[in-house]
């Protein structure tokens, strides 16, 4: 499993670690209106999945805003999803307050389906670790970053470049 720390203390990640070349596992999460969303719902698009511990904290907010800004330039063949364990209502309020319109926020609070499928559940905190996954139109994982220190930013440039490589 990926070695991850939270405020420099090691944490345990639950689930199967995803690596480049894996078939992206399906999952069921909740949209802000409580409807179920799965990976299959975005089949045929390039997906960037941005994973954050809590949407309304500093680094998580920046991460979501950054990918929201990039989304418009990536085109209609790309879908950016932000997944956290925040309640769908809190995600909806945050998006409205921040003017987030190009990223779909999704909640894994109900059963940690996404977190367990992608090896992203922090056992000690029942939060998701910070990570980024890029999945091609055929559900192949082409980019993975489990951020080693949960409070650090992901490599935005590398993640966006991975998406651009798939949309050439």
């Amino acid at each position: 499993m990926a070695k991850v720390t939270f405020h420099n203390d090691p944490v345990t990640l639950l689930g199967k670690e995803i690596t480049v070349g894996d078939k992206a596992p399906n999952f069921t999460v909740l949209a802000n209106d409580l409807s179920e969303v799965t990976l299959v719902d975005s089949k045929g698009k390039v997906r960037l999945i941005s994973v954050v511990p809590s949407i309304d904290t500093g680094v998580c907010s920046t991460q979501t805003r950054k990918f929201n800004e990039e989304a418009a330039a990536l085109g209609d063949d790309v879908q950016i999803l932000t997944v956290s364990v925040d309640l769908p209502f809190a995600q909806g309020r945050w998006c409205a307050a921040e003017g987030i319109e190009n990223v779909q926020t999704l909640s894994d609070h109900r059963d940690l389906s996404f977190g367990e499928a992608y090896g992203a559940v922090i056992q000690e905190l029942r939060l998701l670790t910070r990570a980024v996954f890029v999945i091609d139109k055929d559900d192949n994982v082409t980019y993975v970053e489990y951020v080693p220190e949960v409070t650090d930013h992901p490599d935005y440039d590398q993640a966006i470049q991975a998406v651009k490589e798939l949309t050439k």
Side-chain angles (χ1 to χ4, degrees):
M1 286 299 293
K3 301 277 189 234
V4 172
T5 58
F6 184 78
H7 293 294
N8 297 315
D9 291 326
V11 293
T12 307
L13 297 182
L14 301 178
K16 179 188 178 300
E17 182 176 2
I18 299 298
T19 59
V20 170
D22 286 351
K23 226 17 162 177
N26 200 18
F27 54 82
T28 302
V29 290
L30 298 176
N32 296 164
D33 65 1
L34 299 180
S35 63
E36 289 187 348
V37 176
T38 68
L39 181 68
V40 174
D41 293 333
S42 58
K43 182 114 175 120
K45 292 188 177 235
V46 172
R47 279 73 44 102
L48 183 149
I49 302 177
S50 171
V51 187
V52 298
S54 182
I55 195 86
D56 62 356
T57 60
V59 177
C60 299
S61 291
T62 299
Q63 182 173 332
T64 304
R65 281 194 306 270
K66 174 73 172 167
F67 287 129
N68 183 67
E69 291 165 12
E70 295 284 348
L74 295 174
D76 293 337
D77 288 340
V78 176
Q79 184 163 10
I80 299 181
L81 310 172
T82 293
V83 181
S84 73
V85 294
D86 295 300
L87 293 175
F89 314 112
Q91 290 177 339
R93 277 194 306 275
W94 183 88
C95 288
E98 295 289 328
I100 303 298
E101 297 175 349
N102 302 318
V103 169
Q104 183 178 17
T105 55
L106 300 168
S107 176
D108 200 23
H109 88 94
R110 185 173 63 187
D111 57 12
L112 299 173
S113 171
F114 174 87
E116 289 179 359
Y118 285 73
V121 177
I122 300 173
Q123 179 179 354
E124 295 84 353
L125 302 172
R126 200 182 185 282
L127 294 173
L128 301 181
T129 195
R130 187 173 317 285
V132 179
F133 304 93
V134 175
I135 301 166
D136 72 13
K137 293 178 181 185
D138 297 317
D139 296 339
N140 299 303
V141 178
T142 64
Y143 177 85
V144 173
E145 179 185 10
Y146 290 94
V147 179
E149 167 53 49
V150 176
T151 60
D152 288 346
H153 291 269
D155 189 331
Y156 301 111
D157 293 337
Q158 289 282 24
I160 294 302
Q161 185 59 38
V163 170
K164 288 179 177 177
E165 290 293 320
L166 297 172
T167 59
K168 286 183 176 179

